[in-house]
Amino acid sequence: MATPLVQIENDQEIKQRLEAERNRLRKIAGLDRPNHFQRPSERPFIAAERDHVTILFGGFTWKHEDLIRAVFHGAGYRCEKLPVPDVPAFQIGKEYGNNGQCNPTYFTVGNLVQYLQFLEKEGMSRRDILENYIFFTAGSCGPCRFGMYEAEYRYALKNAGFDGFRVLLFKDSDGITAASGQPGLVFSTDFRLNALNALQLGDIINDLIYQIRPYEVNKGETDRVFREMVDALCDDLKHRHSFELDKEAPNWAKPVFSRNKRLQGTFNLLGKVREHLWGKDYFNALGAARERMDSIEVDRTRVKPLVKITGEFWAQLTEGDGNYHMFEFLEREGAQVIVEPISTWIAYLIHQAKANNKTKWPVNRPYRDPKWWELKKHFANDFKLRKKLMAITVGNWVYCSLYRRMAKNLGGLAHALVSQKELAELAHPFYNNFARGGEGHLEVGKNIYYTVHKLCHMVLALKPFGCMPSSQSDGVQSAVVNKFKDMIFLPVETSGEGEINAHSRVQMALGEAKMKAKAEFEECLKTTGKSMDEIREYIAEHPELKRPFYHVPHKAGVAGTAAQFILHVGDRINKDTRGWKRSRVRVETAPAMSGD
Ligand code: SF4
């Protein structure tokens, strides 16, 4: 028998029936009680644990890591750096992690699990590992897989049997003012200033190694000297004098400060900043480091192609299997590598914060559409934005000035930080500056910057497999290469395997870069009008030219170190010859002394 048709009288009834049906279906699907994802709550790291809990961290170069570890030690923490991630770590990451992650995730997550497994093999119980170690790492809200790192660490640790192992986050969006939220780890003023010093020192030292080692006369000297020098700087960071106002203030001022705690806090902070940035100990340590580095003998007449490294943050930084030991390979093949400092990334974050504030202001301003006569509201809108931009500009200026100053104190050879404004402007026609994730527009911007300013012979982009932002950049780079015809650009996808293939591709591109460097050198030699023998003879007579920190002025349009160097030596020879001729003329035409 057919179901009788139900008469529906009006719209209201239709709505009610729809709602009732919707509720019935939601109940069946369990959507009436949604089970939202909750971030797992972490067991806190408390102050009482400081003397027996070791903080683990990693993911930078050995220079950065040693210096950062010294800062932790100086602040009274137990701290250890993880080994450089290798292929077995990558495999462990694949075994215990989620499918479809990017290369750095597998390497870094696997590296932590591998280290904990090593501790276990050494005889430590799992319970002791969970109690006595924590991992400290960077985190982000995305949009690339960086946003998933924290969850991925937890997932892999759980699968590997280390459920409950603590992962402490330092979010990139919080910048250097981050607070861990865990009272066990306190970012005091001394700690922050020392960490800032360690980071910039690591960047500059890393840059210097790659500029000096390819030209060292005595093989192995650079590595040895830098090892000793970094150890000495670590010692300084660890034992650096901490300014405390109640000890250092003159006796007459002490009662004033003890009455006014706020004033005391401000002066204490200023004293600490002064001590860290202008203190005698700090300058002495930098001076000693500079002298050590300057003792390495170099021969800058060796013609080498200059290879600028770009790519994803971790892939362009790590010095191991994570990028096929690419820097070592390039140096073995006769190239000079220009590495990227972490500070470029920090400057990028600051630049983006400024650009975002400006762009979002129409929606973020406190008063949406004030009438033209509401001057107070207009002022408030304008003032708030300007205040924000000013704070960011000052922050950026301070960071870059400190970097410049440190580079100068360490010999003046390190590359300056590239202008973020220029990078953004160069990249924008190809890659929108507001497309976030990974290196954003930086890969494209750097490729163009180093090519148009003739600062290298070849750009090598190291891109991890499965990297979303790098895949975007790669697509864009084909348009870039089409526009800049003399660009030698090679993107290499890094993974846990395929090292031979990657090296052979690099070798091919390097062949072209070598020819470019040689042609440039020969052209420069011709313009000096000197032979190589004359140049070498002059260098032998002037030992200061064999010092790494001897300043060679940069000639625009010339990339190679050897080409720049012989141009300068040629100038010096000409200058000396002119000076000698002038002095001869003066002697020959000088009036005879009375009595002669
Ligand atoms: S930038 Fe790429 S490789 Fe790096 S975390 Fe994001 S997705 Fe992974």
Side-chain angles (χ1 to χ4, degrees):
M1 206 173 74
T3 320
L5 276 177
V6 181
Q7 196 71 32
I8 298 178
E9 297 295 337
N10 52 39
D11 279 0
Q12 190 57 27
E13 200 181 337
I14 296 175
K15 278 186 192 155
Q16 277 168 4
R17 281 170 181 253
L18 267 174
E19 192 54 32
E21 184 58 10
R22 188 175 289 129
N23 287 340
R24 188 182 73 82
L25 293 173
R26 284 173 71 89
K27 210 167 178 178
I28 293 170
L31 294 173
D32 56 334
R33 289 167 272 103
N35 189 12
H36 291 300
F37 172 79
Q38 302 286 337
R39 183 172 176 261
S41 54
E42 192 64 275
R43 200 156 45 94
F45 169 45
I46 54 171
E49 292 178 298
R50 266 188 218 152
D51 57 346
H52 67 270
V53 168
T54 303
I55 299 170
L56 300 174
F57 77 103
F60 304 114
T61 72
W62 69 262
K63 298 125 255 184
H64 292 92
E65 288 172 355
D66 282 12
L67 292 159
I68 292 170
R69 182 177 56 183
V71 174
F72 273 102
H73 285 168
Y77 295 102
R78 293 167 69 103
C79 176
E80 225 16 272
K81 58 177 197 168
L82 290 175
V84 180
D86 54 10
V87 171
F90 165 83
Q91 280 153 352
I92 290 173
K94 284 205 123 180
E95 185 182 344
Y96 293 116
N98 267 309
N99 285 334
Q101 294 302 307
C102 55
N103 193 41
T105 318
Y106 287 134
F107 268 101
T108 51
V109 169
N111 199 34
L112 175 62
V113 175
Q114 191 184 39
Y115 186 74
L116 301 188
Q117 287 176 338
F118 159 78
L119 292 177
E120 206 175 13
K121 268 190 216 132
E122 290 288 292
M124 195 177 283
S125 72
R126 282 201 179 187
R127 193 186 153 74
D128 283 350
I129 294 172
L130 297 189
E131 286 307 314
N132 297 330
Y133 286 87
I134 56 171
F135 182 60
F136 183 53
T137 185
S140 155
C141 63
C144 74
R145 290 191 184 87
F146 193 26
M148 295 299 297
Y149 268 37
E150 180 197 4
E152 202 51 35
Y153 275 116
R154 293 213 166 92
Y155 182 71
L157 285 165
K158 189 173 170 191
N159 289 345
F162 295 99
D163 196 9
F165 186 85
R166 286 172 283 178
V167 177
L168 257 67
L169 270 201
F170 178 84
K171 283 196 178 172
D172 69 352
S173 51
D174 291 344
I176 57 165
T177 58
S180 71
Q182 312 287 358
L185 189 56
V186 179
F187 291 101
S188 65
T189 308
D190 283 321
F191 184 87
R192 282 189 220 171
L193 289 167
N194 273 336
L196 176 72
N197 274 341
L199 184 78
Q200 294 196 337
L201 274 173
D203 277 349
I204 291 164
I205 292 169
N206 198 34
D207 183 351
L208 292 176
I209 289 188
Y210 285 100
Q211 286 201 63
I212 296 174
R213 190 166 48 205
Y215 301 97
E216 68 184 6
V217 171
N218 306 310
K219 200 165 163 36
E221 194 180 4
T222 310
D223 287 339
R224 182 182 54 75
V225 168
F226 272 78
R227 179 69 269 171
E228 290 166 10
M229 190 267 287
V230 170
D231 286 347
L233 286 172
C234 287
D235 214 45
D236 170 68
L237 280 171
K238 201 167 154 185
H239 301 113
R240 193 171 280 181
H241 167 67
S242 164
F243 177 90
E244 296 303 338
L245 190 68
D246 46 2
K247 287 190 203 132
E248 320 254 348
N251 284 339
W252 60 264
K254 282 181 184 165
V256 182
F257 289 127
S258 61
R259 275 198 301 275
N260 190 335
K261 290 289 164 204
R262 210 162 160 185
L263 193 70
Q264 186 183 26
T266 311
F267 273 84
N268 203 32
L269 176 71
L270 292 175
K272 280 180 187 294
V273 171
R274 197 203 144 277
E275 182 66 35
H276 278 274
L277 305 181
W278 290 277
K280 213 170 91 209
D281 292 353
Y282 170 65
F283 280 109
N284 287 346
L286 292 185
R290 186 176 59 236
E291 263 174 45
R292 272 176 205 253
M293 289 186 279
D294 208 27
S295 67
I296 301 169
E297 189 181 338
V298 291
D299 171 11
R300 274 182 278 205
T301 58
R302 295 174 187 166
V303 185
K304 288 174 181 288
L306 225 66
V307 180
K308 170 66 194 160
I309 302 293
T310 66
E312 189 266 347
F313 179 86
W314 183 78
Q316 65 180 338
L317 193 67
T318 187
E319 295 173 306
D321 289 346
N323 63 10
Y324 307 129
H325 297 265
M326 194 54 85
F327 309 144
E328 204 186 314
F329 173 74
L330 283 165
E331 285 191 355
R332 248 192 349 258
E333 288 294 311
Q336 180 191 337
V337 177
I338 311 179
V339 285
E340 193 60 66
I342 297 175
S343 295
T344 307
W345 168 251
I346 292 171
Y348 164 75
L349 292 180
I350 299 175
H351 177 269
Q352 288 305 100
K354 196 169 171 181
N356 285 333
N357 264 298
K358 273 195 215 162
T359 316
K360 288 184 189 163
W361 196 244
V363 286
N364 285 345
R365 63 199 162 150
Y367 300 101
R368 279 297 163 83
D369 289 308
K371 301 283 180 272
W372 66 266
W373 64 84
E374 293 177 305
L375 298 180
K376 220 170 156 185
K377 289 184 181 173
H378 281 290
F379 177 76
N381 275 349
D382 202 48
F383 180 72
K384 215 167 167 199
L385 174 64
R386 281 181 195 286
K387 207 170 105 188
K388 266 194 176 177
L389 297 183
M390 180 65 80
I392 299 173
T393 308
V394 170
N396 186 41
W397 180 83
V398 170
Y399 191 85
C400 294
S401 310
L402 292 178
Y403 192 90
R404 260 198 308 275
R405 198 179 66 130
M406 191 178 281
K408 196 169 153 217
N409 281 310
L410 283 176
L413 183 64
H415 294 97
L417 291 177
V418 176
S419 152
Q420 287 296 326
K421 189 167 170 277
E422 189 174 353
L423 287 179
E425 281 167 3
L426 288 172
H428 198 61
F430 302 94
Y431 198 103
N432 192 301
N433 289 170
F434 294 102
R436 287 171 56 225
E439 291 272 306
H441 61 261
L442 284 185
E443 289 187 35
V444 173
K446 284 182 208 165
N447 193 8
I448 303 175
Y449 179 88
Y450 280 87
T451 304
V452 296
H453 292 297
K454 294 204 179 344
L455 295 172
C456 70
H457 299 108
M458 165 182 161
V459 177
L460 174 63
L462 298 169
K463 297 147 175 287
F465 84 78
C467 173
M468 179 200 79
S470 282
S471 308
Q472 281 176 195
S473 291
D474 254 5
V476 169
Q477 297 284 21
S478 55
V480 175
V481 173
N482 249 322
K483 176 145 184 179
F484 301 93
K485 298 286 182 203
D486 60 342
M487 182 181 270
I488 304 181
F489 170 71
L490 180 70
V492 168
E493 193 180 68
T494 57
S495 161
E497 55 259 340
E499 179 167 323
I500 293 172
N501 184 26
H503 283 180
S504 117
R505 286 187 58 215
V506 172
Q507 235 165 4
M508 276 195 276
L510 202 57
E512 248 184 277
K514 277 182 185 170
M515 274 161 34
K516 211 171 164 183
K518 205 164 167 230
E520 179 192 65
F521 180 82
E522 273 159 14
E523 184 63 37
C524 290
L525 183 61
K526 217 192 286 170
T527 61
T528 64
K530 307 277 172 299
S531 69
M532 253 340 267
D533 284 343
E534 281 174 277
I535 292 203
R536 287 216 173 89
E537 204 179 305
Y538 186 85
I539 297 168
E541 285 163 10
H542 297 83
E544 74 276 12
L545 292 168
K546 295 181 197 163
R547 295 290 139 226
F549 293 149
Y550 173 81
H551 177 66
V552 178
H554 182 82
K555 287 232 160 72
V558 179
T561 303
Q564 291 277 2
F565 185 61
I566 55 149
L567 282 177
H568 175 64
V569 176
D571 284 349
R572 268 192 63 167
I573 297 176
N574 289 338
K575 218 163 135 195
D576 284 3
T577 318
R578 276 200 303 274
W580 177 77
K581 275 189 186 153
R582 261 201 306 275
S583 61
R584 244 190 80 181
V585 170
R586 264 204 302 275
V587 170
E588 280 168 7
T589 56
M593 298 280 283
S594 59
D596 275 357

